């Protein structure tokens, strides 16, 4: 079941709407305790360093009848970066990298989406880091919807995107004897999202 259905062969005005997709229509809040936003980057040309941002928040607005109207908004607190090494985390928060004191948040705002096939689709938007805003495309897999034991209706997504960190002003590096560098310019962003449907407010 794909959130973004295949382009119908019949006229859009008369094409039937998948009831499962229509049922998804609504506003959702990302559950940070069951979601993960992180990254992977090559270190010293030979291994990968993985990290996460433990504090983030976001919303989804899903339109099952017209999936192209769906949208996403995510805010990440840079101070919450965690690579498992306090000294390295401190360096990443510093002006050499994110400059978390001056630029405390990284944000993503979607601008569109397209169906790729099956449960796979692509969402486009704008990523802002250190007040630099650049386009970002995220390949996502829709994991479906389920009601948890507490009665919350959840939807799940998993995805990734690869960026050049220098495009956002993250340019610090150091040379290796081999001629390589300590930190790769290429960074893979990873998203594992669980979102809870908002309950309608009482009149």
């Amino acid at each position: 079941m794909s959130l973004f259905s295949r382009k119908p062969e019949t006229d859009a005005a008369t094409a039937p709407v998948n009831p499962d997709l229509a049922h998804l229509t609504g506003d959702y809040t990302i559950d940070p305790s069951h979601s993960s936003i992180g990254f992977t980057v090559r270190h010293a040309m030979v291994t990968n360093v993985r990290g996460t941002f433990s504090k983030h928040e976001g919303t989804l607005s899903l339109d099952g009848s017209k999936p192209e109207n769906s949208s996403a908004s995510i805010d990440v607190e840079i101070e919450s970066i965690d690579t498992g090494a306090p000294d390295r985390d401190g360096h990443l928060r510093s002006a050499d990298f994110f400059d978390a004191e001056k630029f405390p948040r990284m944000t993503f705002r979607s601008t569109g989406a397209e169906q790729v096939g099956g449960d796979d689709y692509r969402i486009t938007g704008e990523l802002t880091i250190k007040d630099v805003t650049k386009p970002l495309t995220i390949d996502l897999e829709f994991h479906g919807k389920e009601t948890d034991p507490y009665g919350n209706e959840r939807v799940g997504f998993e995805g990734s995107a690869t960026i050049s960190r220098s495009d956002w002003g993250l340019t610090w590096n150091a040379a290796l004897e081999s001629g390589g560098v300590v930190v790769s310019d290429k960074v893979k962003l990873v998203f594992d999202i669980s979102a809870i449907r908002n309950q309608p407010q009482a009149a």
Side-chain angles (χ1 to χ4, degrees):
M1 178 180 65
S2 174
L3 175 61
F4 296 94
S5 56
R6 296 181 184 276
K7 184 177 180 180
E9 297 180 357
T10 57
D11 184 82
T14 59
V17 175
N18 184 324
D20 287 336
L21 299 181
H23 181 64
L24 292 174
T25 298
D27 296 325
Y28 297 75
T29 299
I30 292 175
D31 177 6
S33 63
H34 293 94
S35 300
S36 175
I37 297 175
F39 61 90
T40 301
V41 62
R42 183 76 70 181
H43 177 261
M45 310 295 289
V46 297
T47 191
N48 288 319
V49 168
R50 293 175 174 81
T52 60
F53 296 92
S54 61
K55 294 183 180 180
H56 53 82
E57 60 185 16
T59 59
L60 308 176
S61 180
L62 305 183
D63 188 330
S65 299
K66 294 183 178 180
E68 66 274 13
N69 293 336
S70 299
S71 61
S73 175
I74 299 175
D75 292 68
V76 175
E77 291 190 24
I78 298 298
E79 189 68 26
S80 71
I81 195 167
D82 182 5
T83 65
D87 289 344
R88 179 168 57 213
D89 295 343
H91 190 198
L92 290 170
R93 295 185 188 106
S94 76
D96 281 345
F97 284 95
F98 286 105
D99 199 356
E101 184 174 350
K102 186 176 181 181
F103 306 102
R105 288 202 163 194
M106 171 173 62
T107 66
F108 175 76
R109 302 290 184 264
S110 69
T111 56
E114 62 177 305
Q115 193 272 337
V116 177
D119 291 334
D120 299 325
Y121 61 96
R122 187 168 290 126
I123 186 167
T124 56
E126 295 182 335
L127 177 67
T128 300
I129 305 174
K130 298 178 71 172
D131 279 356
V132 177
T133 300
K134 298 281 186 179
L136 180 70
T137 298
I138 306 172
D139 289 318
L140 286 166
E141 180 181 1
F142 176 51
H143 284 274
K145 62 180 178 67
E146 189 58 79
T147 301
D148 69 22
Y150 304 100
N152 299 310
E153 184 179 344
R154 292 179 178 268
V155 291
F157 303 84
E158 184 176 4
S160 65
T162 299
I163 66 171
S164 294
R165 60 187 177 91
S166 57
D167 289 346
W168 282 267
L170 302 173
T171 58
W172 183 92
N173 229 321
L176 300 172
E177 290 184 3
S178 65
V181 292
V182 171
V183 185
S184 172
D185 184 49
K186 184 172 71 174
V187 180
K188 182 179 181 181
L189 305 178
V190 291
F191 306 86
D192 197 348
I193 301 297
S194 177
I196 298 173
R197 186 170 187 168
N198 299 342
Q199 295 298 321
Q201 297 183 350

